[in-house]
């Protein structure tokens, strides 16, 4: 099934997941009802109720309390708020964080990752053991390019032992693996609506009670003074609807993992030289980062696109242009190999037929890279 409403085989859920019908209904209902949640009249109160119901659903998604949820205009904004609003002057971030973490804190110390794409906790502990002002550490729960799940609970323990706070970007993990903020022991957590089947342009920073956060956007007193601006009520209602669907989404992950695993075995059968990044690590069930030496990522994306299959190259999450991946570089991949990596990411709308169509299209890619191979 192609949730985009065409016959495109959409395999780019880590860029954005198609909105589920229930989510679109929730947004339409809120947009039709109108009202500003700060208004005291009936229309305002209805809008406030929609926002607060969504807050409860988003909080429940990560086992937090509703008052801990700060709605933002994106996951990017939530990451910026965490890194710049915590007041901590020393920042440490894993080398594979999303650009919205890396660019929000260009001065941050970068913690290396192992070849498998997993953050090096010894390096984190060593860095924190060096003297410095109270720190904030940022480690994502799952990487957007490789799907590698990070040792966040252990990182939080190390951070706390050194008096540091732990921020976790859980944007790609939510809806794909269980996420429990307290069990992970994190102090600040970022979510993004459009990665779990909500709409783009809405995110959340979940803030533990003991953590003060200074607003990055000033104006009215919305979001308990932590994020000014009239709330995006339809987007927030859609986020709440998508969050309520997460238990069903989690139950669907074994099916999605089976699709992904078949896709990878067929890729390797067609092209034994192909490399799957992060395969040695625990990964998200839906993500595959596949490099084919000799076949540039942009050529692969273009050939697949012409065949009606949508995937992305590197972290083409915002720009659409192909730039070298800092994630694969941090894992030790040379420019040539990293430049031949595509990201395939599946989700709720995909079926076995989509994997068949990907393989059919990718066969031509493999043939071009290596005439005379099993793909021929
Ligand atoms: N963090 C990660 C890991 C992401 O993959 C993305 C988007 O791709 C973001 C943050 C940014 O989220 P948003 O698109 O809501 O700004």
């Amino acid at each position: 099934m192609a949730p985009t409403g065409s016959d495109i085989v959409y395999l780019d859920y880590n860029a954005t997941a198609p909105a589920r019908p229930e989510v679109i209904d929730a947004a339409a209902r809120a947009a039709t009802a109108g009202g500003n949640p700060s208004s005291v009249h009936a229309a305002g109160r209805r809008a406030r109720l929609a926002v607060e119901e969504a807050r409860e659903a988003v909080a429940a998604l990560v086992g937090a309390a509703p008052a801990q949820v700060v709605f933002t205009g994106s996951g990017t904004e939530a990451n910026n708020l965490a890194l710049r609003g915590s007041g901590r002057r020393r920042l440490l971030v894993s080398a594979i964080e999303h650009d919205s973490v890396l660019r929000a804190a260009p001065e941050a110390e970068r913690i290396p990752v192992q070849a498998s794409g997993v953050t090096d906790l010894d390096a984190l502990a060593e860095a924190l053991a060096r003297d410095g002002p109270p720190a904030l550490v940022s480690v994502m729960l799952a990487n957007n390019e490789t799907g590698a799940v990070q040792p966040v609970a252990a990182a939080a323990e190390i951070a706390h032992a050194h008096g540091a706070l732990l921020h976790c970007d859980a944007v790609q993990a939510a809806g794909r693996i269980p996420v429990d903020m307290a069990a992970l022991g994190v102090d600040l957590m970022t979510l993004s609506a459009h990665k779990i089947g909500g709409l783009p342009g809405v995110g959340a920073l979940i803030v533990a009670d003991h953590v003060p956060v200074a607003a990055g956007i000033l104006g009215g007193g919305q979001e308990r003074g932590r994020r000014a601006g009239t709330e995006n009520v339809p987007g927030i209602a859609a986020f709440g609807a998508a969050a309520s669907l997460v238990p069903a989404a989690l139950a669907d992950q074994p099916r999605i993992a089976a699709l992904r695993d078949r896709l990878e075995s067929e890729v390797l059968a067609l092209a034994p030289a192909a490399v799957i990044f992060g395969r040695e690590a625990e990964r998200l069930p839906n993500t595959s980062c596949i490099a084919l030496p000799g076949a540039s990522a942009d050529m692969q994306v273009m050939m697949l696109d012409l065949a009606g299959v949508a995937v992305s190259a590197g972290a083409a999450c915002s720009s659409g242009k192909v730039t070298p991946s800092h994630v694969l570089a941090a894992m030790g991949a040379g420019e040539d190999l990293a430049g031949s990596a595509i990201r395939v990411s599946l989700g709720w709308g995909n079926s076995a037929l989509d994997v068949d169509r990907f393989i059919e299209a990718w066969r031509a890619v493999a043939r071009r890279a290596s005439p005379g191979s099993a793909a021929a």
Side-chain angles (χ1 to χ4, degrees):
M1 177 190 171
T4 42
S6 66
D7 68 348
I8 286 176
V9 174
Y10 187 78
L11 300 174
D12 205 8
Y13 277 67
N14 289 14
T16 195
R20 293 180 186 261
E22 300 93 319
V23 164
I24 294 169
D25 284 351
R29 271 198 310 278
T32 307
N36 182 326
S38 298
S39 300
V40 293
H41 48 60
R45 291 199 303 277
R46 261 203 311 274
R48 167 61 53 208
L49 185 65
V51 168
E52 297 314 317
E53 281 177 357
R55 196 184 304 282
E56 279 176 28
V58 170
L61 166 62
V62 297
Q68 296 174 328
V69 175
V70 180
F71 285 120
T72 62
S74 59
T76 294
E77 188 192 318
N79 278 342
N80 275 258
L81 182 58
L83 285 142
R84 302 165 79 94
S86 76
R88 298 290 171 116
R89 283 188 294 121
R90 183 178 181 206
L91 302 171
L92 301 96
V93 302
S94 92
I96 56 164
E97 294 300 309
H98 188 259
D99 274 344
S100 54
V101 166
L102 297 180
R103 295 211 174 158
E107 74 282 21
E109 296 161 54
R110 302 238 179 143
I111 307 302
V113 297
Q114 295 154 346
S116 61
V118 174
T119 302
D120 183 341
L121 292 177
D122 292 337
L124 174 63
E126 268 169 41
L128 283 170
R130 289 194 286 276
D131 263 356
L136 175 111
V137 177
S138 189
V139 178
M140 66 198 334
L141 190 46
N143 182 261
N144 44 303
E145 291 183 46
T146 63
V149 174
Q150 303 298 310
V152 169
E157 247 179 63
I158 295 169
H160 293 156
H162 291 86
L165 295 174
L166 196 289
H167 164 250
C168 175
D169 175 346
V171 162
Q172 295 289 352
R176 299 186 179 132
I177 56 174
V179 180
D180 185 309
M181 190 156 156
L184 290 169
V186 314
D187 304 293
L188 296 142
M189 178 175 278
T190 294
L191 298 172
S192 173
H194 71 114
K195 310 289 186 179
I196 64 163
L199 300 178
V202 188
L205 184 66
I206 322 292
V207 184
D209 292 339
H210 60 278
V211 182
V213 167
I217 296 180
L218 303 176
Q222 292 93 349
E223 297 299 300
R224 295 166 185 253
R226 293 176 291 191
R227 201 275 187 181
T230 301
E231 299 87 340
N232 170 1
V233 183
I236 289 172
F239 193 3
S244 305
L245 293 169
V246 160
L250 289 175
D252 193 30
Q253 294 307 309
R255 181 189 72 85
I256 291 172
L259 292 178
R260 191 270 314 268
D261 292 347
R262 176 163 74 85
L263 185 146
E264 288 186 347
S265 2
E266 295 197 19
V267 158
L268 290 170
L270 284 175
V275 174
I276 295 174
F277 284 102
R279 215 178 183 205
E280 317 73 46
E282 180 190 346
R283 280 184 301 163
L284 292 178
N286 77 316
T287 306
S288 186
C289 184
I290 303 166
L292 180 61
S296 76
D298 41 0
M299 182 274 279
Q300 293 189 60
V301 170
M302 215 150 49
M303 281 183 75
L304 291 167
D305 187 37
L306 287 171
V309 178
V311 302
S312 71
C317 148
S318 59
S319 59
K321 68 177 194 297
V322 180
T323 45
S325 158
H326 67 275
V327 174
L328 302 184
M331 291 165 68
E335 241 175 64
D336 279 358
L337 190 61
S340 73
I342 59 168
R343 179 187 65 190
V344 180
S345 51
L346 297 94
W348 63 271
N350 292 127
S351 67
L353 206 59
D354 294 337
V355 174
D356 296 343
R357 281 191 54 195
F358 170 86
I359 292 297
E360 211 32 61
W362 199 77
R363 184 191 302 275
V365 170
R367 199 182 292 136
R368 177 186 276 211
S370 173
S373 68

